[in-house]
Amino acid sequence: MSLERLLRSEGGAWLTASGPAADVVVSSRIRLARNLRRHPFPPRLTPAEARRVVEEVRAALGTLRLGPSGPLELVELQALEPLERQVLVERHLVSPQHAASELPAAVAVDETESVSLMVNEEEHLRLQALAPGLQLHAAWEEADRLDDGLAERLDFAYDERLGYLTTCPTNTGTGMRASAMMHLPALVHSNQAGELVSTLARVGVVVRGIYGEGSKAHGNLFQVSNQITLGRSESEIVESLEAVVRQLVERERGARELLYREHRTELQDRVGRAYGILTHAYAISSEEALALLSTLRLGVDLQLVPQVRPEVCNELMMAVGAASVQYREGRLLEPAERDVRRAAMIRERLASRQAPRGEA
Amino acid sequence: MSLERLLRSEGGAWLTASGPAADVVVSSRIRLARNLRRHPFPPRLTPAEARRVVEEVRAALGTLRLGPSGPLELVELQALEPLERQVLVERHLVSPQHAASELPAAVAVDETESVSLMVNEEEHLRLQALAPGLQLHAAWEEADRLDDGLAERLDFAYDERLGYLTTCPTNTGTGMRASAMMHLPALVHSNQAGELVSTLARVGVVVRGIYGEGSKAHGNLFQVSNQITLGRSESEIVESLEAVVRQLVERERGARELLYREHRTELQDRVGRAYGILTHAYAISSEEALALLSTLRLGVDLQLVPQVRPEVCNELMMAVGAASVQYREGRLLEPAERDVRRAAMIRERLASRQAPRGEA
């Protein structure tokens, strides 16, 4: 997809709130780390070498056809304004580290934002496939198809014994990172989230905020992923993570049921107030917006707010970041003005009849 | 008016948000303290004497005709449930002290709740006239008409030198207490209210919360009244209080203009959130409801909320008390359930097309 269309889109197909367990799992993601054999790995890249990596990938993508979602068009990060890069971070298409790259680096995305590729992030290549709901296998198939296509055109660094060679040792082996973006408001509300995170860490599952390492879980959104990539097959990784995610889904649903059964009024009140504030505030921070959208989404899932569609919550949760708000306005804004524009955007989106995208 | 109709009514004519300076002055009130010559004053009343006072007043009212607002019908407090008495307190028809009376005591109210009478409160009689907005003279005329009618039928304790004799020395003289219920959100918001209260105290003006002595100013509503009743004529009292109220009106309007001019976004945001919460909460305390209704009323006065009529705010502010909520439900409620019923009542009233009373 072209940069223009990418930045202007309202979000990828993975935000549609469809797919299995979409009440708890926003999206499933597979990332594959790959490096090119004949170039130094990213930490040792010179600008000239980095440029060569970008050009090799561009050439490979030029002849690659993935199917109905269209070609992957390469966009160089150096050609972007800082604000535009930040928008890509908020859309989960590049990592914060990648956006900050000083060497030639790039991103490529298909029409639906389901398949994408970072060039010269921590590794030469990070392939990414996203699917709505709990669909790790489907995402893996997508990523695998892209991997196969690229492997025919590029010479990946691979060792018979170690598997794919990578900069970061935690990526070595399959190079696969499987993850699910999960919405866990009831577990957080009932103070079970912290204990679950430490229990999961002991079995090699990492739980983070949605903007990667060290980020806070704003909006009760968590990225749950495997830690171990070496000594296990891709399907083992996908299946073990899927098992963990399924358990979390059941725990979250149980906590929601309990809230609904035993604290219905408090729940209705919190959800109603969240909706009332979101539809009537004139200034709102991204942090408050995410917290209220999380409560609203919970209410939508529990059918307490029939007038709001779940994908609208998903889209808004990805659209309230500072960069997205500013990009939409076409200019940099002071924080106070951002809060005003963010509130207006949320009011408009929730007040509209919420026709599906394109019909609004 | 009969007890049944009184308790069921949505509030007196003084809540119509009409009259001069109705954006700041909710209502004007005149109270006159009177005692009967041939009975001990209230602190020394026996139950039998108290009963005789009630009967004398009942007889006087029986032959009194005040005009279009109909007769004053006497209701004995001892015949009421504690909840019903509390409703009368919340409707500003009796004082908390009066509601708690253990001796025979009574209240009488006309059809529009503009004129009323407490029997055996702190004094044998306290006549009360209420008018919407800043209309102290009009209220005084109403009170004076009732006073004249009663004076023809009852023998008031009066001393040529001291004037009307009363239990409480602060009532002696004219026996007149003039007051205005003022809504001062902008002065409170800009931290000017505290200083004004102490300045006014030095010139004999008392500022209190709306439920009388010692009550807090919930909802930014203040009762502003004269302290001195002795040595000044009725018209001097009315005129000097009117001058003070006019000054406060100007101060409040100035503070509102400043808010509107310099902090428009913050103001719109506060008003919007108040409206959003009031129309969507499922549980709300009376304190929070009053605070939000105060903000909403400010927004209505500044024409930021065209869909809400000011008298609806006034009515709701008088209707959110614990007793009023329970009386409307016809039974005693646990505090949590009260909060739920209060929220439902507010939602319904604000969500309706807000047709004038009787058309809804």
Side-chain angles (χ1 to χ4, degrees):
Chain A
M1 166 150 53
S2 75
L3 176 67
E4 185 74 2
R5 289 187 54 190
L6 178 59
L7 289 166
R8 293 238 164 263
S9 112
E10 283 190 21
W14 57 279
L15 285 171
T16 52
S18 59
D23 55 329
V24 180
V25 184
V26 177
S27 60
S28 299
R29 183 174 77 184
I30 299 289
R31 276 185 174 169
L32 299 174
R34 299 289 183 261
N35 287 282
L36 303 184
R37 201 182 289 275
R38 281 179 208 87
H39 300 278
F41 280 11
R44 294 178 166 256
L45 276 179
T46 61
E49 286 279 2
R51 157 81 28 227
R52 275 192 285 275
V53 170
V54 170
E55 293 312 326
E56 269 190 43
V57 175
R58 187 198 304 278
L61 289 175
T63 61
L64 189 69
R65 288 293 168 272
L66 283 174
S69 63
L72 291 179
E73 199 166 316
L74 201 80
V75 174
E76 291 200 36
L77 297 185
Q78 277 64 30
L80 302 183
E81 300 291 331
L83 184 58
E84 293 172 323
R85 295 191 200 190
Q86 197 52 39
V87 172
L88 297 180
V89 172
E90 292 179 1
R91 301 280 288 282
H92 296 274
L93 293 167
V94 309
S95 65
Q97 298 76 4
H98 196 207
S101 171
E102 297 189 351
L103 291 176
V107 62
V109 185
D110 78 342
E111 287 293 321
T112 59
E113 296 180 38
S114 303
V115 175
S116 63
L117 182 68
M118 288 186 263
V119 186
N120 291 341
E121 194 227 20
E122 196 179 23
E123 316 288 349
H124 287 151
L125 290 174
R126 289 193 90 175
L127 290 58
Q128 173 172 296
L130 276 162
L134 178 50
Q135 300 195 72
L136 286 167
H137 281 92
W140 179 33
E141 277 169 33
E142 283 290 314
D144 201 35
R145 191 158 32 234
L146 175 59
D147 186 36
D148 287 347
L150 289 172
E152 288 172 14
R153 293 159 173 82
L154 297 166
D155 191 6
F156 288 152
Y158 184 82
D159 176 273
E160 283 297 325
R161 200 171 51 89
L162 291 172
Y164 291 100
L165 300 178
T166 57
T167 304
C168 178
T170 66
N171 287 336
T172 299
T174 57
M176 176 191 272
R177 189 81 66 191
S179 71
M181 189 195 292
M182 303 191 72
H183 185 226
L184 305 175
L187 287 176
V188 171
H189 188 72
S190 55
N191 293 320
Q192 298 179 63
E195 185 210 322
L196 280 170
V197 168
S198 34
T199 306
L200 289 173
R202 273 179 254 129
V203 297
V205 173
V206 187
V207 183
R208 302 187 177 117
I210 58 168
Y211 291 112
E213 275 179 68
S215 70
K216 284 210 289 179
H218 289 312
N220 301 317
L221 289 172
F222 295 85
Q223 198 82 42
V224 179
S225 64
N226 64 304
Q227 178 73 288
I228 298 156
T229 56
L230 186 64
R232 298 168 84 185
S233 72
E234 281 93 343
S235 67
E236 278 169 5
I237 290 170
V238 166
E239 267 152 38
S240 72
L241 188 72
E242 175 137 348
V244 167
V245 171
R246 280 194 193 288
Q247 274 187 38
L248 282 171
V249 167
E250 289 316 310
R251 294 286 292 265
E252 169 67 19
R253 283 179 178 161
R256 289 181 186 183
E257 254 181 61
L258 197 73
L259 271 182
Y260 190 76
R261 216 173 42 234
E262 318 237 311
H263 306 280
R264 177 99 48 109
T265 302
E266 189 208 323
L267 183 68
Q268 279 186 308
D269 187 50
R270 283 177 56 224
V271 170
R273 285 166 183 256
Y275 181 70
I277 293 172
L278 287 167
T279 49
H280 292 88
Y282 271 79
I284 195 162
S285 70
S286 64
E287 202 160 333
E288 186 190 5
L290 278 173
L292 295 175
L293 285 165
S294 167
T295 302
L296 180 60
R297 176 66 209 264
L298 175 64
V300 168
D301 287 328
L302 293 172
Q303 304 184 308
L304 297 172
V305 201
Q307 69 272 39
V308 178
R309 295 187 310 142
E311 65 268 36
V312 172
C313 294
N314 283 2
E315 285 169 25
L316 281 173
M317 283 180 120
M318 299 304 136
V320 296
S324 301
V325 169
Q326 293 176 93
Y327 187 79
R328 211 171 293 111
E329 295 297 311
R331 63 197 172 93
L332 292 171
L333 303 169
E334 294 295 314
E337 212 181 338
R338 256 181 251 162
D339 290 352
V340 171
R341 296 312 311 157
R342 180 182 294 113
M345 186 260 297
I346 295 171
R347 284 203 312 278
E348 282 157 27
R349 190 77 182 103
L350 287 175
S352 74
R353 279 178 45 252
Q354 297 199 21
R357 275 185 244 164
E359 295 178 30
Chain B
M1 163 152 52
S2 74
L3 176 68
E4 185 76 3
R5 288 186 56 188
L6 178 58
L7 289 167
R8 294 238 163 262
S9 111
E10 283 189 22
W14 56 279
L15 285 172
T16 52
S18 59
D23 55 330
V24 181
V25 185
V26 177
S27 59
S28 298
R29 182 175 77 185
I30 298 289
R31 276 184 174 169
L32 299 173
R34 299 289 184 261
N35 287 282
L36 303 184
R37 199 182 292 274
R38 282 182 206 87
H39 300 276
F41 280 13
R44 294 177 166 260
L45 274 179
T46 62
E49 286 280 1
R51 156 85 24 229
R52 277 192 282 277
V53 171
V54 170
E55 294 310 327
E56 270 191 43
V57 175
R58 187 198 304 278
L61 289 176
T63 59
L64 189 70
R65 289 293 168 269
L66 284 174
S69 64
L72 291 179
E73 198 166 315
L74 202 78
V75 174
E76 293 202 37
L77 297 186
Q78 277 65 27
L80 302 184
E81 299 293 330
L83 184 59
E84 292 171 325
R85 296 190 197 189
Q86 197 52 36
V87 172
L88 297 180
V89 172
E90 292 179 2
R91 302 280 288 281
H92 296 271
L93 293 166
V94 310
S95 64
Q97 298 76 6
H98 195 206
S101 169
E102 297 190 352
L103 291 176
V107 62
V109 186
D110 78 342
E111 287 292 322
T112 60
E113 296 178 41
S114 302
V115 175
S116 63
L117 182 69
M118 287 184 266
V119 186
N120 290 343
E121 193 227 22
E122 195 179 22
E123 316 289 348
H124 287 151
L125 289 176
R126 289 193 89 175
L127 291 54
Q128 172 172 295
L130 274 161
L134 178 49
Q135 299 196 75
L136 287 166
H137 281 92
W140 179 33
E141 279 169 29
E142 282 290 314
D144 202 37
R145 188 157 38 233
L146 176 59
D147 185 36
D148 287 349
L150 289 172
E152 287 172 14
R153 293 161 172 83
L154 297 166
D155 191 6
F156 289 152
Y158 184 83
D159 176 273
E160 282 298 328
R161 198 170 52 88
L162 289 173
Y164 291 100
L165 300 177
T166 57
T167 303
C168 180
T170 67
N171 288 335
T172 300
T174 57
M176 176 191 273
R177 189 81 65 191
S179 71
M181 189 195 293
M182 304 191 71
H183 185 225
L184 306 175
L187 287 175
V188 171
H189 188 71
S190 55
N191 294 318
Q192 296 178 67
E195 185 211 322
L196 279 169
V197 168
S198 33
T199 307
L200 289 172
R202 272 178 254 131
V203 298
V205 174
V206 186
V207 183
R208 299 187 179 120
I210 58 169
Y211 291 112
E213 273 179 71
S215 68
K216 283 209 289 179
H218 288 310
N220 300 315
L221 289 172
F222 295 86
Q223 198 83 42
V224 179
S225 64
N226 65 305
Q227 179 72 288
I228 299 154
T229 56
L230 187 64
R232 299 166 84 184
S233 73
E234 282 92 341
S235 67
E236 278 168 2
I237 290 170
V238 166
E239 269 152 36
S240 73
L241 187 72
E242 174 136 349
V244 167
V245 171
R246 279 195 194 287
Q247 274 187 39
L248 281 173
V249 167
E250 290 314 311
R251 293 285 293 264
E252 169 66 19
R253 283 177 178 164
R256 290 181 186 184
E257 255 180 61
L258 197 71
L259 270 183
Y260 190 77
R261 217 172 44 233
E262 318 235 311
H263 305 279
R264 175 100 47 110
T265 301
E266 189 207 323
L267 183 68
Q268 279 186 307
D269 187 50
R270 281 178 56 225
V271 170
R273 284 167 184 256
Y275 181 70
I277 293 172
L278 287 166
T279 50
H280 291 89
Y282 271 80
I284 196 162
S285 69
S286 64
E287 200 160 332
E288 186 189 5
L290 278 173
L292 294 176
L293 285 164
S294 166
T295 302
L296 181 61
R297 176 67 209 264
L298 175 64
V300 168
D301 288 328
L302 293 171
Q303 302 184 310
L304 296 173
V305 202
Q307 70 271 39
V308 178
R309 296 187 310 141
E311 64 269 38
V312 173
C313 294
N314 283 2
E315 285 169 24
L316 281 174
M317 282 179 121
M318 298 305 139
V320 295
S324 300
V325 169
Q326 293 175 93
Y327 187 78
R328 211 172 293 109
E329 295 297 311
R331 63 199 171 92
L332 292 172
L333 303 171
E334 294 296 314
E337 210 179 341
R338 259 182 247 160
D339 290 352
V340 170
R341 297 312 311 157
R342 181 182 294 113
M345 185 260 296
I346 295 170
R347 283 202 313 277
E348 282 157 27
R349 191 78 181 103
L350 287 175
S352 74
R353 278 176 47 253
Q354 298 199 20
R357 276 185 243 164
E359 295 179 29

